[in-house]
Structure formats: structure tokens, C-alpha cells
Amino acid sequence: MSPNCRFDAVIHFAGLKAVGESVQKPLLYYNNNLIGTITLLEVMAAHGCKKLVFSSSATVYGWPKVVPCTEDFPLVAANPYGRTKLFIEEIARDIYRSDSDWKIILLRYFNPVGAHPSGHIGEDPRGIPNNLMPFVQQVAVGRRQALTVFGTDYNTKDGTGVRDYIHVVDLADGHIAALHKLDEDKIGCEVYNLGTGKGTSVLEMVAAFESASGKKIPLVTSGRRPGDAEVVYASTEKAERELNWKAQYSIDDMCRDQWNWASKNPFGYDTSESTK
Ligand code: UDP
């Protein structure tokens, strides 16, 4: 590294994130997510950069017995992907215990959706999307015929799973707030939920996307997806209090911006229209 090039802090977003793939290829996940993070931490330490913001996940709450999830809930991992998030959190706590110069913020993302309001930046998963909203988006633009709803017998308002969807711009702002927090004196290794504190069902998300896009999303119902939790949403109190951050965008905003991105870029970043 050039002596003129100094890093104040690192935001570590990189990682593989498909749950099913992680079950099939655990070593790929442990190698990429864990070894990649350890290498990054070693390089940071070698260059005296000891401020880190890390993308963790609400997956570490597993199947919460009660909601909203607070940061002090017991942590579990249901699959290799989740285990990599949990292990990295533990590694971060160990690093701070070993060297109190480190300042680390672990951000537990709930369900990021939407796109940049410009319509130029959005999510473009390869292959069949695992997550709800990328799948809905691909149905809306005609790339897929119908959304499969995984489970209609949950103990929720309409029987479908409930999650805490958060606009990606709010999520990005949460990182800026975390970076500011790292400038304070006593940080240690802290963890914050990034969510809205509101639960929305699969059918509610579909209805909101239909009204934002004017497109009908055909549905096929099926059994529960193995490993899925029933209801997961965040307590946002700690982030509001200590990061001075609160999500601003509504479900309708998320769907509007996601549709803006999708309608302008029905094949994502691929202009050849060949990657279906
Ligand atoms: N879901 C669904 N069909 C899909 C993808 C997801 O019904 O094709 C449901 C899923 O069962 C869950 C919710 O949508 O209740 C959010 O799923 P996602 O994979 O986006 O997030 P996660 O389950 O990891 O929180």
C-alpha cells in the first residue's frame, strides 16, 4: 500500500449469501466468507486500520420465540451461510477482547429490498432468485410465470411468512450512521439491528408490488420452505438511540423503487437478455 494511501475504516459487505447453496457447498461458504474475512482483518491490523463495519444478518436470530428481535437475543445458525455470519460476529468479539484498539460495529440486516430511486442501481441475482422480491420482480417483467408462496399455514394474519423489509437506501444510511459512531471514543464491538420494526407478510408484499407496478403477480401455493421462520422483525430501539438512525421508507416506497429499477432494466445489468 502506498504511504499516501491511508484507510480510516472498512465496511465489509462481501460474502456469499444463498442459504440453499451453502448447504450444498459448505466449504465454499466457509472459505469465501470466513477465510476472506480473516484475511481482511489481518491486512487491516497490519496497516493499523482497526475500525470495521460488518454486514451481519437477522439470520443469527434463527426462529425467534418472540418478536421484535432485540440485539441481546440468543444466537443460532440454521445453515452454513448463517454459521459464517455467526462465526464472524464471534471472531469480531474475540478480536476486540484481544486488542481494545479495535472499534467494530456489526449490523444485522433484516430483509433489504427496493433499489436506488434513480433506477440505475438494483439487485440482479444470477439464476433463480432465492429471495422473495427479486422473484416477484422477475414475474412482473415476464421472466418467470408465477411466484411460489412458501407456506400458507403459518400463524400470521394471512397464513404467510412475516418479515421486516427495509429499503436499501435506508440500509445504506445505517452504514453511514455506523461509520460516524466509530468516531466516538468508547465503542468496543457493538451490534445493531437494521430493520424498520414492522412485519409484512408475503401476500402483503405481493399486493404492494402489484399496486406499484400495475402488474398482476400470479401465485402458486406450496408447502413451507425448509428452515423458514414464521415471523421475524426487528427491534429498532438500539439503533435509533445509539446510531441516531431510523428507517424512513415505507413498503410502498420500496415497491415503487424496485419497480422503477425493474421496468427500466428488466434483465438487470445484462443487455443480451440471455441469462434467464
Ligand atoms: N418466499 C416465498 N416465495 C419465494 C421466496 C420467498 O414465499 O419465492 C417467502 C419466504 O418463505 C419468507 C419470505 O418470502 O416467508 C421472505 O423470504 P426471503 O428468502 O426473501 O427472506 P428470508 O426468508 O431469508 O428472511
Side-chain angles (χ1 to χ4, degrees), residues 111 130-132 135 147-150 161 163 165 202 225 228:
N111 290 63
N130 293 295
N131 296 114
L132 177 66
F135 203 105
L147 169 75
T148 304
V149 178
F150 297 136
R163 295 289 184 276
Y165 297 93
V202 173
R225 186 169 61 176
D228 264 359

Side-chain angles (χ1 to χ4, degrees), residues 19 59 81 110-111 113 129-136 147-151 154 160-165 200-202 224-225 228-230 232:
V19 171
T59 191
Y81 158 72
F110 280 68
N111 290 63
V113 298
N130 293 295
N131 296 114
L132 177 66
M133 292 312 279
F135 203 105
V136 168
L147 169 75
T148 304
V149 178
F150 297 136
Y154 285 112
T160 63
V162 166
R163 295 289 184 276
D164 186 339
Y165 297 93
T200 306
S201 74
V202 173
R224 298 179 178 195
R225 186 169 61 176
D228 264 359
E230 187 163 74
V232 186

Side-chain angles (χ1 to χ4, degrees), residues 57-65 69-76 108 110 191-193 232-234:
S57 166
T59 191
V60 299
Y61 296 124
W63 306 273
K65 288 197 181 69
C69 302
T70 54
E71 286 84 349
D72 56 1
F73 270 22
L75 304 180
V76 296
R108 292 187 185 143
F110 280 68
V191 54
Y192 296 98
N193 289 337
V232 186
Y233 60 88

Side-chain angles (χ1 to χ4, degrees), residues 3-259:
N4 299 326
C5 187
R6 202 176 60 82
F7 292 89
D8 297 310
V10 169
I11 305 181
H12 175 24
F13 300 104
L16 297 170
K17 64 175 271 287
V19 171
E21 184 184 50
S22 81
V23 175
Q24 302 300 322
K25 302 176 184 171
L27 291 181
L28 177 70
Y29 274 64
Y30 291 129
N31 198 331
N32 184 78
N33 292 9
L34 289 184
I35 306 295
T37 301
I38 290 167
T39 305
L40 174 66
L41 291 166
E42 285 173 344
V43 173
M44 287 175 66
H47 291 278
C49 175
K50 295 185 178 177
K51 288 182 184 173
L52 176 74
V53 177
F54 172 67
S55 311
S56 187
S57 166
T59 191
V60 299
Y61 296 124
W63 306 273
K65 288 197 181 69
V66 290
V67 279
C69 302
T70 54
E71 286 84 349
D72 56 1
F73 270 22
L75 304 180
V76 296
N79 51 65
Y81 158 72
R83 244 178 303 283
T84 67
K85 293 294 178 191
L86 191 50
F87 288 167
I88 294 168
E89 285 204 3
E90 298 293 9
I91 290 169
R93 286 184 269 272
D94 284 339
I95 286 181
Y96 173 67
R97 272 182 219 119
S98 75
D99 175 356
S100 59
D101 285 349
W102 280 89
K103 293 178 172 184
I104 302 177
I105 293 187
L106 309 169
L107 297 175
R108 292 187 185 143
Y109 298 5
F110 280 68
N111 290 63
V113 298
H116 191 268
S118 65
H120 295 310
I121 314 171
E123 190 176 1
D124 179 21
R126 304 225 175 97
I128 301 171
N130 293 295
N131 296 114
L132 177 66
M133 292 312 279
F135 203 105
V136 168
Q137 171 184 319
Q138 292 196 4
V139 175
V141 298
R143 287 171 65 177
R144 304 200 182 271
Q145 300 217 308
L147 169 75
T148 304
V149 178
F150 297 136
T152 52
D153 60 348
Y154 285 112
N155 186 20
T156 59
K157 43 197 148 188
D158 57 25
T160 63
V162 166
R163 295 289 184 276
D164 186 339
Y165 297 93
I166 174 170
H167 195 297
V168 287
V169 171
D170 275 330
L171 196 77
D173 282 340
H175 292 70
I176 309 288
L179 275 182
H180 287 312
K181 183 79 180 167
L182 289 180
D183 286 335
E184 290 179 13
D185 274 350
K186 290 200 168 34
I187 299 299
C189 181
E190 274 297 335
V191 54
Y192 296 98
N193 289 337
L194 291 186
T196 64
K198 296 187 189 78
T200 306
S201 74
V202 173
L203 296 184
E204 286 173 330
M205 282 309 275
V206 169
F209 194 86
E210 285 184 335
S211 84
S213 63
K215 301 279 179 188
K216 184 83 196 135
I217 306 295
L219 303 179
V220 174
T221 54
S222 95
R224 298 179 178 195
R225 186 169 61 176
D228 264 359
E230 187 163 74
V231 178
V232 186
Y233 60 88
S235 162
T236 58
E237 270 176 34
K238 188 178 175 198
E240 283 175 36
R241 195 174 58 240
E242 297 184 15
L243 296 181
N244 202 17
W245 167 89
K246 187 176 169 41
Q248 304 295 327
Y249 288 85
S250 68
I251 293 291
D252 290 340
D253 297 331
M254 299 173 208
C255 291
R256 178 200 62 213
D257 290 340
Q258 183 141 3
W259 175 241

